[in-house]
Amino acid sequence: MSADAQVLEAFVGYLRTERQYSPHTLDNYRRDIGRLLRYAQANSLADWSAIAPRDLRAFIAETHRAGLAGKSIQRLLSAIRSFYRYLNREGLCQHNPALGISAPRSARRLPKTLDTDQAGQLMQIPVTDAVSARDCAMMELIYSSGLRLAELVSLDLGDIDFRDASLVVTGKGRKTRMLPVGSKALAALDVWLGHRGSLLRGEEPALFVSKRGSRISTRAVQQRLEHWGLHQATDGKVHPHRLRHSFASHLLESSGDLRAVQELLGHADIATTQIYTHLDFQHLADVYDRAHPRARKKND
């Protein structure tokens, strides 16, 4: 084993004994620093102290060109910074070339949505008992009002106003907002409330309850939506956030009112809401590619 490899193993031993890192994390650190070691050897860098910031930037650029994602490079740089702090502590190096170096930005992933037909198909579940009535009401309400999962499960009976077709929800930062509720969601809620008593085991203020009669958990909601997505043959996995994304995308597509969508979603920063403008543009671009005579491919 080379001297540099021995230093790497000593570092991993330090992480194991003094930092109490898990075996999985240790493997990640060994792999990341090992990658840098191989780069140094391939470029005739004598030892760890010979690696300068320009060498590290070249190493990061090479890994990025090789296909390593931005988040993985961020983790790689974090491991290198920790490694050089260890070298500094042990007197093996006097500098840390990773300081001030940032990873390339990752492309922001657009949220997957259901189109309006898929959303409609999902909601057409057969309501035959209390559980299916509850599930239908939950899905209708998320899609109608753009609720977060945590907001949905925290709802109490008193938060719904049928006369005013609205609800009061407590979002992030304990901020409350009033939201409209669509007619189909209100109808589904009315059916659910007719069944709700059959699941109760005592006093429970929660709007949505489990089979045990207590407030439904976030995990149970996720499982139920995934179940209905498979049952209704929906394209891709159905989860609460996907319904929320669909609500925002469809509303923006119809209204073009970004500020209103921001308020309904409870986003503190409109930049968070602006991702839906990209979704909307993507839809328009698809229509353009299919319809415009100068955009269609020659073999169409």
Side-chain angles (χ1 to χ4, degrees), residues 141 155-169 178-182 185-186 189 193 207:
L141 193 55
L155 286 174
D156 290 335
L157 286 169
D159 294 330
I160 302 286
D161 187 335
F162 279 85
R163 186 181 308 174
D164 197 39
S166 66
L167 65 84
V168 176
V169 66
M178 182 176 287
L179 298 173
V181 182
L186 288 173
L189 282 167
L193 291 177
L207 176 61

Side-chain angles (χ1 to χ4, degrees), residues 50-188:
I51 298 177
R54 65 177 179 276
D55 301 313
L56 192 53
R57 287 192 181 91
F59 167 65
I60 293 300
E62 181 178 291
T63 57
H64 185 52
R65 286 193 299 271
L68 199 65
K71 284 190 175 181
S72 297
I73 294 177
Q74 287 175 6
R75 191 197 68 203
L76 173 62
L77 280 168
S78 177
I80 294 171
R81 290 188 194 100
S82 295
F83 177 61
Y84 271 90
R85 283 195 293 270
Y86 169 79
L87 294 180
N88 295 162
R89 193 190 81 158
E90 297 297 312
L92 299 173
C93 185
Q94 302 301 316
H95 72 297
N96 189 333
L99 296 179
I101 296 179
S102 58
R105 287 189 176 183
S106 299
R108 192 170 186 183
R109 293 175 61 186
L110 295 177
K112 292 183 178 180
T113 64
L114 300 168
D115 62 32
T116 52
D117 289 338
Q118 290 174 332
Q121 176 182 319
L122 177 66
M123 305 302 170
Q124 296 300 315
I125 68 173
V127 176
T128 57
D129 56 12
V131 170
S132 57
R134 179 202 63 197
D135 294 351
C136 181
M138 290 193 304
M139 290 192 294
E140 286 281 8
L141 193 55
I142 295 172
Y143 181 58
S144 167
S145 303
L147 299 181
R148 297 181 177 96
L149 175 56
E151 294 170 346
L152 178 82
V153 300
S154 68
L155 286 174
D156 290 335
L157 286 169
D159 294 330
I160 302 286
D161 187 335
F162 279 85
R163 186 181 308 174
D164 197 39
S166 66
L167 65 84
V168 176
V169 66
T170 302
K172 290 184 176 180
R174 305 300 298 170
K175 292 181 179 179
T176 60
R177 65 189 192 279
M178 182 176 287
L179 298 173
V181 182
S183 59
K184 291 187 180 297
L186 288 173

Side-chain angles (χ1 to χ4, degrees), residues 222-236:
Q222 291 169 332
Q223 290 172 335
R224 295 309 298 166
L225 264 63
E226 185 174 355
H227 163 80
W228 286 115
L230 292 170
H231 186 276
Q232 298 298 93
T234 306
D235 182 26

